[in-house]
Amino acid sequence: VGLDGRTIPKGTVIDVPLNPIIAPSTFALHLHSDQPIVAGVYSPLTIAGHRDILWISALPLLVPMTLAVKGLQPTLFFTGDAISLKIKARLNSGTILNSTVSGSDIAVWKAPANCQSITISNVRSGVYGQALATSASGIGFFPLVPASTVTRAAIPSSNISVINR
């Protein structure tokens, strides 16, 4: 898209409008840099007649994990030069469906109806993952990362502003 060799001073925020003609479907944006970067993608879209926006940030590498997805039926998107992984979907009935996802650049997998959990394993190095969940009120994005670690504090630190939220 003509951005090769572009130098951006550190600490600078820039907007790079990309106007490719893309059919209404899934897409991925791969950014490669010899220096650390922070980037995001803003996409206006229409879901079930409602206009919505989707702001997607950079992702960490995909690692094996299990996700609880009951009631969501998300679509999972995987990006990378060589995508290879296995997915085990556990349905509400207890049935387990096994899938292999492979490809290059982008691969898509849709959770089956009545899916309770998804286990991702055998992830090839260099693969990233994210999910989209749609509803009548819009669309949501979440990165495929393991659950956060529970943090503990010996003495809670809060003040009256907590009540005012």
Side-chain angles (χ1 to χ4, degrees):
V1 294
L3 296 176
D4 288 348
R6 186 165 181 178
T7 302
I8 301 165
K10 88 175 186 181
T12 303
V13 176
I14 65 164
D15 214 4
V16 179
L18 300 175
N19 295 314
I21 298 172
I22 299 175
S25 66
T26 58
F27 69 93
L29 179 63
H30 289 231
L31 299 176
H32 299 278
S33 174
D34 60 352
Q35 299 294 315
I37 58 173
V38 176
V41 176
Y42 163 82
S43 297
L45 55 130
T46 304
I47 301 289
H50 300 302
R51 292 192 52 82
D52 204 348
I53 61 167
L54 193 57
W55 179 263
I56 299 175
S57 59
L59 302 166
L61 285 168
L62 185 65
V63 296
M65 71 183 77
T66 299
L67 301 166
V69 295
K70 188 170 184 172
L72 290 179
Q73 197 177 4
T75 302
L76 308 185
F77 300 88
F78 303 99
T79 58
D81 293 332
I83 302 161
S84 178
L85 58 102
K86 295 194 181 296
I87 297 178
K88 178 172 69 173
R90 179 179 298 275
L91 306 183
N92 292 339
S93 64
T95 303
I96 295 176
L97 303 176
N98 291 301
S99 302
T100 299
V101 178
S102 60
S104 61
D105 295 326
I106 188 168
V108 180
W109 182 85
K110 175 82 171 158
N114 300 315
C115 187
Q116 190 173 51
S117 69
I118 297 168
T119 299
I120 299 170
S121 63
N122 296 30
V123 180
R124 185 176 188 158
S125 177
V127 175
Y128 300 84
Q130 58 274 336
L132 293 177
T134 58
S135 70
S137 60
I139 189 165
F141 157 84
F142 57 94
L144 296 180
V145 295
S148 60
T149 305
V150 177
T151 59
R152 295 185 176 101
I155 300 172
S157 77
S158 62
N159 57 39
I160 193 67
S161 67
V162 173
I163 296 171
N164 294 330
R165 289 186 185 175

